[in-house]
Amino acid sequence: WEPLWPEQGWAFLQLLLVASVCHAEEPVCRQRGDPENPLLSKNGDIILGGMFSFHTSWKDRKDSYMNQPLPLQCTSLNFRDLQFAHAMVFAIEEINNSTDLLPGISLGYKMYDTCGSVARSVGVTLALANGNEIVSVPSKTSCTKPAYVQAIIGETSSSPTIAVATVIGPFFVPVVETAQQLGICLEYSVSFFRTDPYSKIQRIIEIIKASTSKVIVAFLSRADLNVLLPEFSYHNLSGYQWIGSESWIFDSQTAEMDIHHILNGSIGLSIPKAHITGLREFILDEKPLKSSNNELFTEVWETLFSCKFKELKSSADIQRECTGHEDMTGVQNSFIDMSLMPIFNNVYKGVYAVAHALHNILSCNKTCNKTVLQHIQKIHFTTKEGDEVYFNENGDPAAKYDIINWQPRENRTVEFVTVGLYDTSLTTEKQLNLQNKSLIWARNSKQVPVSVCSEKCRPGTRKVLQKGRPVCCYDCIACAEGEISNITDSITCVRCLPEFWSNERRDACIKKEAVFLSYEEIMGALLTAASLFGVCMAIGVILIFFKYRKTPIVRANNSELSFLLLFSLILCFLCSLTFIDQPSDWSCMFRHVAFGITFVLCISCLLGKTMVVLMAFRATRPGSSVQKWFGQTQQRLCVTAFTLIQVIICIIWLTTSPPFPFKNFKEIKDKITLECALGSAVGFWAVLGYIGLLAILCFIFAFLARKLPDNFNEAKFITFSMLIFCAVWITFIPAYISSPGKFSVAVEIFAILASSFGLLICIFIPKCYIILLKPENNTKRNMMGKKAPNSL
């Protein structure tokens, strides 16, 4: 808002104390530049300065830069600021007539016309500081003198006030960065002054049309807005919610200019209603004005009554003659409009604040070194109307405003309705009192307008700024997998902990599902069934062999090794079950050890049977003692020795770096794969390598014995079974390495079952076929053949 005098409300917030002296380099006082003379003045012991826009414009002139420019000629009389000046004079007269405040001291004033020009405001400031008037100065008079004025009240709008403060006052210039603290985003910010070219107005209109925001904060003086308003109406800038500054939100002239009602529903802050006893009568009394400045009185009087004084009237002038005694009672003019009494009250209190500060300085018996401004910040008094005047530690008064709403009426007029109150002197929760039901927004709507560049980003998304646009313009991007945002308008997504994963909405981390090969799932159930079926088959073969253990086919194939092989195959089938279900410390160690030892036992039995076949045929040669060196005892020792080597390898593996349960977070991104880490990879591949070595030896011996003369040569079946075994485990290695998670376990189980079934079927099913379906072939002669040696 743009108040009457300094930036944030009361004139005395920007009272510019002048305590300077001018030191001339030359012994004589010389005046440079055009002089500035006050429009209204009165002598006194202490002089107060005033800066008001008695006129709102000036005559255009074209400077040739060949001669000194002429003084500025002000036009368009401004009754509003004239009333402000009257309020200042009224307060000074009251103080001068008081016996309590500044007794024996008279206040005078020097009021200058700034014509609404920032440049002129700066010049007037310097004039008030230095007394830059046309005065006769004796030759060789010293320039050193006291400050010309003790305080300046004004300017009446923000732009010139900032310029004045920069020139002479402390740099307490308010900055609009508060909006950001409240979470408000400015899509654009453009400045405008009524003297700007038309192209600037066009650019402002283009910016408004191109924007997405529907709320416009018009931080403008009334005069500036009155320049823009016709152009806004011409371009039909309707449908926007206007937020008004104090300078125009309560101004009836601005409402009259808004013929297209684009400002309907505007809301803004206004100084609360106030009353100053006797001020209205003082303003309407022409005597003080007439006695102060005859030229200003003449202009005011001619403007009020549309007449001309005789001495100024030409023969061609058709206006009636002014007498100077016209009656103001029937005049319809803004000069008699007292609606701005709240602002008059601020001027009134501003003058009294200066007076109280001066009173305190004069009462301290010359012991005070403080300036008027410092004393003003410490005052605390009550006016005759009961208003408290004081400042906080920052030099600010307690802000108190009415909230005004422009509400259209049936006769196409606008009523300024008070819909709330803002008072910082109250507690925080009570400072704002807004009657929402009484508000009318833009387009005569009761609904609060929405003005956002982008909708809020819901949880599960994050904000990504749009290039080249304000920070409130952004896109909402969904968080990546494994990341979440659980607040609205989050600027980042947070990655979930390793054991958690984002839900579908990406607004919460949920515990990952543990994945392992279980008995309940189809694949686990099928593998379990296959394992149990293999066990049943092996047990069935054992029963058959036990029942027919005295038959030649059982006896001819080393029944002891056959039963041990069948037992080891049962263990092989059963060890596959240890790979199913959730891994634990014991299951991880047991599954690999059981697998390694049982398969070595199985291959050792096959290796023993193959060596028996080879040795049997070697024993038929004359003088051969091979059978003596590879009897039953040697066979048992061979199997035990081969198996014991694997046991030693497993013990070393378990004692150095055993397998352990491991949570794999990388295999499947949204799940935890529970698997058994190998611990020592060397130990694992040593176990497999040893099994492979025995399998290769068994295959070589069986291959050598495959053509021995025997109607039922077991070496052929061992050779074929070893081919299957080696093929399974050779293909197992790449499949195991490339399979993810629980599928690698399934591959390992499949390899165990496939090789076990291969051994069981290739070696024992043909024998069972003869025993059960071809008993006539189960004879010693048929087993041995004509040239067959004696069976073992």
Side-chain angles (χ1 to χ4, degrees):
W1 50 272
E2 297 197 354
L4 164 63
W5 12 303
E7 184 70 16
Q8 290 294 333
W10 291 3
F12 43 90
L13 291 183
Q14 290 286 342
L15 291 174
L16 305 177
L17 174 68
V18 180
S20 61
V21 293
C22 109
H23 297 278
E25 295 180 356
E26 300 178 5
V28 294
C29 186
R30 293 186 178 181
Q31 188 179 42
R32 299 178 184 274
D34 292 329
E36 292 287 351
N37 294 311
L39 198 60
L40 295 175
S41 64
K42 181 181 179 180
N43 291 327
D45 298 325
I46 299 175
I47 303 298
L48 301 184
M51 297 171 60
F52 301 101
S53 295
F54 292 105
H55 297 83
T56 58
S57 187
W58 55 87
K59 288 185 178 179
D60 291 332
R61 64 186 184 191
K62 294 183 179 179
D63 295 324
S64 63
Y65 300 100
M66 301 296 292
N67 300 310
Q68 182 176 350
L70 296 174
L72 198 66
Q73 288 185 280
C74 301
T75 60
S76 303
L77 189 64
N78 181 13
F79 285 116
R80 180 175 180 172
D81 277 35
L82 186 61
Q83 290 174 319
F84 300 158
H86 272 69
M88 179 177 174
V89 174
F90 177 74
I92 290 175
E93 293 296 336
E94 271 195 353
I95 294 168
N96 287 338
N97 294 328
S98 171
T99 58
D100 298 325
L101 190 60
L102 293 175
I105 302 294
S106 64
L107 295 180
Y109 53 84
K110 301 288 184 182
M111 298 186 191
Y112 286 81
D113 184 8
T114 62
C115 296
S117 167
V118 175
R120 187 176 175 88
S121 296
V122 174
V124 166
T125 302
L126 296 175
L128 285 170
N130 299 309
N132 187 23
E133 301 176 10
I134 299 177
V135 292
S136 58
V137 181
S139 178
K140 298 185 179 180
T141 299
S142 174
C143 237
T144 303
K145 58 184 178 180
Y148 185 61
V149 296
Q150 293 302 313
I152 301 174
I153 294 183
E155 242 270 10
T156 58
S157 59
S158 297
S159 298
T161 299
I162 294 173
V164 169
T166 304
V167 171
I168 200 172
F171 292 85
F172 293 116
V173 180
V175 181
V176 186
E177 297 312 336
T178 304
Q180 292 184 353
Q181 294 174 1
L182 297 175
I184 299 172
C185 173
L186 299 179
E187 184 175 6
Y188 58 88
S189 177
V190 291
S191 61
F192 175 76
F193 193 68
R194 51 187 171 275
T195 58
D196 286 343
Y198 183 74
S199 59
K200 181 69 173 292
I201 300 177
Q202 288 294 107
R203 190 171 73 87
I204 292 174
I205 293 173
E206 291 173 1
I207 290 174
I208 293 176
K209 287 184 174 181
S211 69
T212 57
S213 59
K214 295 299 179 183
V215 175
I216 302 175
V217 180
F219 191 81
L220 293 167
S221 68
R222 178 179 59 87
D224 294 334
L225 181 60
N226 290 346
V227 174
L228 291 173
L229 195 54
E231 295 297 326
F232 288 168
S233 298
Y234 176 77
H235 288 274
N236 192 26
L237 293 182
S238 59
Y240 292 91
Q241 179 61 52
W242 293 82
I243 307 296
S245 60
E246 178 277 331
S247 61
W248 65 264
I249 196 64
F250 206 77
D251 188 72
S252 56
Q253 293 182 12
T254 303
E256 291 174 2
M257 289 188 62
D258 186 24
I259 57 177
H260 290 87
H261 305 284
I262 66 172
L263 297 179
N264 280 4
S266 295
I267 188 172
L269 300 178
S270 175
I271 300 173
K273 294 178 181 178
H275 176 72
I276 304 173
T277 305
L279 180 57
R280 184 180 188 278
E281 292 74 16
F282 183 84
I283 290 177
L284 297 181
D285 185 5
E286 77 280 4
K287 292 179 182 178
L289 181 62
K290 189 172 183 180
S291 62
S292 298
N293 187 308
N294 187 63
E295 181 181 346
L296 179 60
F297 168 77
T298 300
E299 184 180 5
V300 171
W301 209 256
E302 288 181 345
T303 306
L304 279 175
F305 298 102
S306 301
C307 62
K308 281 284 186 178
F309 283 99
K310 184 177 181 180
E311 59 271 17
L312 300 175
K313 189 176 181 181
S314 64
S315 58
D317 205 327
I318 61 173
Q319 286 183 316
R320 66 184 180 87
E321 185 178 334
C322 297
T323 65
H325 301 288
E326 283 81 0
D327 185 11
M328 284 192 183
T329 306
V331 174
Q332 298 295 326
N333 193 283
S334 60
F335 184 70
I336 65 171
D337 180 12
M338 295 295 118
S339 62
L340 297 178
M341 186 65 76
I343 304 180
F344 304 160
N345 189 37
N346 277 348
V347 180
Y348 180 82
K349 290 187 290 187
V351 175
Y352 265 89
V354 175
H356 276 275
L358 291 171
H359 184 86
N360 293 338
I361 291 176
L362 294 174
S363 301
C364 64
N365 299 322
K366 298 184 180 180
T367 59
C368 299
N369 293 323
K370 294 182 178 178
T371 64
V372 175
L373 181 60
Q374 290 173 312
H375 276 276
I376 286 178
Q377 292 178 340
K378 295 182 180 299
I379 62 170
H380 193 152
F381 66 93
T382 303
T383 67
K384 65 180 182 181
E385 307 298 341
D387 292 339
E388 280 191 287
V389 180
Y390 62 93
F391 301 94
N392 62 16
E393 63 277 3
N394 298 321
D396 298 322
K400 186 176 182 180
Y401 302 101
D402 287 336
I403 301 175
I404 304 300
N405 186 211
W406 284 33
Q407 298 189 2
R409 294 297 179 247
E410 294 180 356
N411 57 357
R412 298 183 65 82
T413 60
V414 172
E415 182 179 355
F416 305 126
V417 179
T418 301
V419 293
L421 177 68
Y422 179 71
D423 189 352
T424 57
S425 65
L426 303 176
T427 57
T428 304
E429 62 274 7
K430 295 182 180 179
Q431 287 181 357
L432 179 62
N433 181 12
L434 190 62
Q435 302 167 7
N436 291 326
K437 294 182 179 179
S438 303
L439 275 169
I440 292 180
W441 302 96
R443 297 181 179 176
N444 301 334
S445 173
K446 285 284 187 180
Q447 187 174 0
V448 178
V450 177
S451 178
V452 292
C453 183
S454 303
E455 295 294 335
K456 289 184 176 296
C457 289
R458 63 170 181 79
T461 61
R462 63 181 178 91
K463 297 197 299 187
V464 176
L465 297 182
Q466 297 174 357
K467 187 177 181 180
R469 304 201 67 189
V471 293
C472 55
C473 299
Y474 48 81
D475 295 318
C476 298
I477 306 298
C479 292
E481 291 182 333
E483 296 181 347
I484 66 160
S485 65
N486 54 8
I487 60 173
T488 302
D489 279 346
S490 175
I491 60 174
T492 58
C493 293
V494 181
R495 178 161 292 278
C496 295
L497 294 174
E499 294 192 8
F500 294 84
W501 193 252
S502 55
N503 59 0
E504 291 184 1
R505 296 188 303 272
R506 305 284 199 273
D507 59 359
C509 289
I510 57 176
K511 195 170 181 63
K512 288 182 179 179
E513 178 187 355
V515 177
F516 54 89
L517 188 61
S518 65
Y519 294 106
E520 288 76 15
E521 57 182 301
I522 296 177
M523 184 167 56
L526 291 176
L527 292 174
T528 301
S531 177
L532 295 178
F533 178 71
V535 172
C536 293
M537 282 185 64
I539 293 175
V541 173
I542 289 175
L543 294 176
I544 294 172
F545 268 50
F546 183 77
K547 182 178 181 180
Y548 297 98
R549 63 185 179 278
K550 298 188 180 295
T551 60
I553 197 170
V554 176
R555 295 185 64 200
N557 288 282
N558 198 327
S559 59
E560 183 176 339
L561 288 181
S562 295
F563 282 111
L564 185 58
L565 177 59
L566 287 170
F567 175 73
S568 63
L569 285 175
I570 292 175
L571 295 180
C572 288
F573 283 120
L574 290 177
C575 82
S576 65
L577 298 179
T578 62
F579 288 83
I580 304 176
D581 209 2
Q582 183 173 344
S584 64
D585 290 332
W586 287 104
S587 66
C588 285
M589 291 188 290
F590 181 72
R591 66 174 59 171
H592 289 96
V593 170
F595 157 72
I597 294 176
T598 54
F599 263 81
V600 166
L601 179 62
C602 183
I603 301 298
S604 298
C605 293
L606 288 176
L607 188 59
K609 291 174 70 67
T610 307
M611 294 177 68
V612 166
V613 174
L614 285 174
M615 296 303 108
F617 284 94
R618 292 282 183 178
T620 58
R621 297 178 181 178
S624 176
S625 61
V626 174
Q627 186 174 354
K628 177 178 68 173
W629 293 105
F630 206 76
Q632 293 288 346
T633 302
Q634 288 78 9
Q635 295 172 24
R636 296 186 188 114
L637 289 175
C638 182
V639 172
T640 302
F642 286 145
T643 306
L644 185 60
I645 293 173
Q646 184 72 306
V647 171
I648 294 172
I649 294 175
C650 290
I651 290 174
I652 296 173
W653 182 17
L654 293 180
T655 53
T656 54
S657 180
F660 58 91
F662 170 68
K663 293 181 179 179
N664 190 337
F665 299 108
K666 297 180 180 179
E667 199 72 57
I668 306 176
K669 56 187 177 182
D670 59 341
K671 295 178 181 179
I672 302 175
T673 303
L674 300 182
E675 55 188 35
C676 286
L678 296 177
S680 172
V682 175
F684 174 74
W685 292 111
V687 168
L688 283 183
Y690 183 66
I691 295 174
L693 177 63
L694 293 182
I696 292 172
L697 289 176
C698 185
F699 172 75
I700 292 173
F701 289 158
F703 183 79
L704 294 175
R706 73 189 188 283
K707 294 183 179 180
L708 293 177
D710 191 352
N711 286 347
F712 194 80
N713 188 353
E714 191 175 28
K716 296 179 181 178
F717 301 107
I718 294 176
T719 302
F720 189 65
S721 67
M722 285 296 99
L723 282 175
I724 296 176
F725 185 90
C726 292
V728 168
W729 286 101
I730 289 173
T731 55
F732 158 78
I733 295 174
Y736 177 79
I737 294 174
S738 61
S739 297
K742 63 181 181 181
F743 296 100
S744 63
V745 179
V747 167
E748 193 168 359
I749 295 175
F750 179 80
I752 293 173
L753 295 178
S755 55
S756 299
F757 275 112
L759 294 175
L760 181 64
I761 292 172
C762 292
I763 295 175
F764 293 103
I765 294 303
K767 299 176 182 178
C768 292
Y769 173 78
I770 294 175
I771 292 173
L772 298 177
L773 300 179
K774 298 289 185 177
E776 64 277 9
N777 293 334
N778 191 3
T779 62
K780 184 175 181 180
R781 183 177 180 82
N782 190 57
M783 293 296 104
M784 304 283 294
K786 293 180 180 180
K787 297 181 181 180
N790 295 328
S791 62
L792 296 176

